[in-house]
Amino acid sequence: MIKNLVIVESPAKAKTIEGYLGKDFVVKSSFGHVRDLPKDNNAIDIENGFKPTYVISSDKKDVVAQLRKLAKEAETVWLASDDDREGEAISWHLTEALNLNDSKIRRIVFREITKNAILNAISSPRNIDMDLVNAQQARRILDRIVGFELSPVLWKKIKTGLSAGRVQSVAVRLVVEREREIERFKADAAFKITASFSVEGKTLDAELPTRFKTEEEAQAFLQKCIGAAHTIENLEKKPLKRSPAPPFTTSTLQQEASRKLYFSVAQTMSVAQKLYESGKISYMRTDSVNLSEEAISGAANAIQQSFGEKFIKTRRFKTKSSGAQEAHEAIRPTDFSQMTVSGDRNEQRLYELIWKRAIASQMADAEIEKTTATIGISTQPEKLVATGEVIKFEGFLKVYIESKDDEELQDDDVKGMLPPLSVGQTIDLRHMLATQRYSRPAARYTEASLVKKLEEMGIGRPSTYAPTISTIQKRGYVEKDSREGKERPYRVLILQKDQVSAQTKTEITGAEKAKLFPTDMAMVVNDFLVDHFPTVIDYSFTAKVEAEFDEIAQGHEEWKAMLEKFYEKFHKRIESSETIDRAAVSGARELGIDPVSGKKLIAKLGRFGPYVQLGEENPDTGEKPVYASLRKGQFLESIALEDALELFKLPRIVGMYEDKEMKAAIGRFGPYISHSSKFYSLPKHLDPLQVTPEEAIELIEQKRKADAEKLIKSFDENPDVQVLNGRYGPYIVVGKKNVKIPKGKEPAELTLQECLDLAEATPEKKGRGGFKKKPEPAEKKATTKKAPAKKAAAKPKAKK
DNA sequence: CAGTGAGCGAGCTTCCGCTTGACTT
């Protein structure tokens, strides 16, 4: 018999809270939502006022059963899910799923996990706010309708398996539009003048505030500077203050961990999860920059201990993002006196980052003195400017400096101290440079900078940023990739010892590391959605519906009426999309005429990905077009005629070996040789266009030798079955399936039958993503070799 | 990692948001 059952969302939270409450309280977790719309297409009865059907999520059956049992025994059930829209809905779903009646339940909320906050909450329970619950239902149903009506349109018009949704489609759109912006971008160059002086053995660097458009102008300027005297005309000192950034939210943590530790957003979340579960940090999915009073005084104590009174300046930050629901604190250490933690290297590094950021947020401003020296040139009216900074008081800079994205970086970001100067002082020129500098296009998104952008637009939630980023990659819309840059020449003019000389140097431009690139599929799908469903893919769509959800939450609007209004227009668009011609959305583009054959070259997106087509079908002459797939790094929108023509040179027959052809081509994993249905990757030094038969044969024989060394056992009766030695120890291969060897079995003594049985007992790997699914007919033996293998088992499933 | 690129059309796919483990090739 228990007196009080408290239900929270997270098990780690439950553990902490149980410690705060007496033994009259049992604290359990719901592990998030326990009920949801079923996966099928009839979850919402649109005709009957969008009536939803809810089911207990399959992975929550046990949790709900356990909670139901405890709730039955308990006198009072305290529903303590998060203080936001989703949390309110979780509480409501719990009352439904656990059959709780109103007299037994109390709804309580708190926004920080501190003893005071919990006890306060217990002393002021309230009822479940049905307006807030309805706002959540409207959100859930709208997302389901958008996703489940839009995606099938894509299956019909573009490719099966594609997806669209309120959040992911906008994320893809951002990446697509950024790519096009970069594609359109034309860099313009200008000459920047810098000068280096010698002041009593020390160096003083200065710059001309204006730039010159042409080399001639820059040349003329340097010429005029020959023999000039340089004098300090003015010295100005200005005090500057810098303030620390607020403590981390999910999105800012992902950004900093990406910039400083090179973590992916998923990696950041999984490392943070471990820190949270071991009680070292507060909750990591939050949009709040707020710290509890207890945390602030904890930070102040730690600062006092390590740096002294002078460095303390407590602050209460306010959130800037409008969509924030602030159900939790900002991300912070649970114990500020712990500067480091145990755990693996990544946990330690992420913790340190969190500690520094949170501590710095409660530290004094940095005081800086900025000096600007103006340097006159006796032969010219133009002035050079040198700036330097001296830190007078470090303040928060002692522990933490926020990093910036590439696009925000300035060349002169790091400034040192100037040598001692006085007005009227003449200084010696070492050299003056006019360097050609190109403007840069907007930077491609990283995972983290895309999250930042989404958050600014109020799209997505802390719990979904990382999953959204991986969804758009899994669906084949976006690829995280690195590119080598290209060399670009630039001009430098040098004035030294009263002589002006010029030289051409080269710089690397356009190199990218772990950036997001849209695929051709993303381009085609995005254009289709923009054309036919402009509303839902509009950048302000989420903001608009959020405003309506707020109205519902306030009780000013009825949720069914809101959905009705939205659905009417949206569904009309879905219906009229039926008539769209498939061919019109293939992204076809004419590249030009092949100068050799005189045939037309077209690039388009097909069922198997982007390809180019040379020539056209002509029934009169019997002429047929030839096709070639685009390679990694090539795109429909940007591939040039000459690069496309190159594609037709591969695959190429290298020669014969054991009466079979050896073909060279480039595949998903790079260049390779194929021979008798087997593939052999080409090492870097072999070019698929140049590789000789001898080289190819050597490659095949080497690979065979290596494979033979891995082989433990094979069976003459069935060559599809082998026992091999792999990276993780011995395993069995049956056809294309890898099978684990159970403990206690000697790999060398396995019989064929044992292998087959083990393979049978191993479940199929359910991987999605590949477009090559070959469902085997269950009953009939289908051995038709020539027929396209597209027949699936015709086993009608009971529809519900 | 090939070859393919029309349309026929079985039966599959899909959303967002809240939470953790179970996976170990």
Side-chain angles (χ1 to χ4, degrees), chain A residues 291-503:
Chain A
L291 291 180
S292 65
E293 290 305 317
E294 285 178 32
I296 290 174
S297 64
N301 274 336
I303 297 163
Q304 163 89 52
Q305 290 287 319
S306 302
F307 312 109
E309 187 76 35
K310 261 198 342 186
F311 283 85
I312 302 174
K313 183 180 177 189
T314 58
R315 292 179 172 82
R316 275 117 195 120
F317 292 92
K318 283 219 179 76
T319 178
K320 272 191 280 174
S321 45
S322 56
Q325 309 203 2
E326 302 192 80
H328 309 274
E329 279 188 73
I331 302 170
R332 62 162 176 92
T334 46
D335 181 358
F336 280 93
S337 70
Q338 301 297 311
M339 215 177 289
T340 54
V341 291
S342 55
D344 67 32
R345 171 140 177 73
N346 285 342
E347 287 171 56
Q348 291 176 17
R349 291 202 295 164
L350 192 68
Y351 178 83
E352 219 171 282
L353 198 61
I354 292 167
W355 183 87
K356 285 181 175 173
R357 173 90 165 210
I359 278 279
S361 78
Q362 302 304 318
M363 287 177 73
D365 292 338
E367 287 164 28
I368 290 156
E369 186 180 78
K370 186 178 176 184
T371 309
T372 307
T374 311
I375 302 159
I377 309 167
S378 61
T379 57
Q380 309 252 37
E382 282 92 347
K383 315 278 179 214
L384 293 161
V385 175
T387 56
E389 284 184 2
V390 182
I391 294 176
K392 292 285 182 191
F393 175 63
E394 276 181 293
F396 77 95
L397 290 178
K398 211 170 174 79
V399 295
Y400 183 82
I401 301 170
E402 188 179 14
S403 58
K404 292 175 177 173
D405 283 327
D406 298 352
E407 53 193 308
E408 298 161 354
L409 275 184
Q410 298 294 323
D411 298 340
D412 51 0
D413 221 34
V414 188
K415 288 199 186 83
M417 208 161 62
L418 294 185
L421 298 169
S422 55
V423 175
Q425 184 180 359
T426 315
I427 51 178
D428 297 330
L429 180 71
R430 280 187 180 149
H431 55 77
M432 196 181 281
L433 299 179
T435 313
Q436 192 178 21
R437 293 255 135 245
Y438 289 88
S439 58
R440 285 192 297 178
R444 287 193 177 83
Y445 288 107
T446 61
E447 289 189 351
S449 69
L450 183 57
V451 167
K452 180 184 180 186
K453 184 75 185 167
L454 289 171
E455 187 191 40
E456 281 168 5
M457 297 195 300
I459 297 173
R461 303 279 313 129
S463 67
T464 61
Y465 294 141
T468 299
I469 297 296
S470 64
T471 298
I472 61 177
Q473 294 182 63
K474 262 193 277 178
R475 296 276 180 278
Y477 290 135
V478 165
E479 282 166 0
K480 184 157 85 172
D481 206 357
S482 299
R483 295 276 167 82
E484 281 183 24
K486 284 184 192 141
E487 285 193 347
R488 173 170 65 189
Y490 67 100
R491 297 281 286 166
V492 185
L493 310 178
I494 306 139
L495 164 62
Q496 199 168 18
K497 297 187 179 140
D498 290 343
Q499 292 264 316
V500 178
S501 59
Q503 48 178 285

Side-chain angles (χ1 to χ4, degrees), chain A residues 6 10 40 100 214 272 326 451 620 691 700 707 744:
Chain A
V6 182
S10 144
D40 63 54
L100 303 174
T214 64
E326 302 192 80
V451 167
D620 299 337
V691 66
I700 293 170
D707 283 349

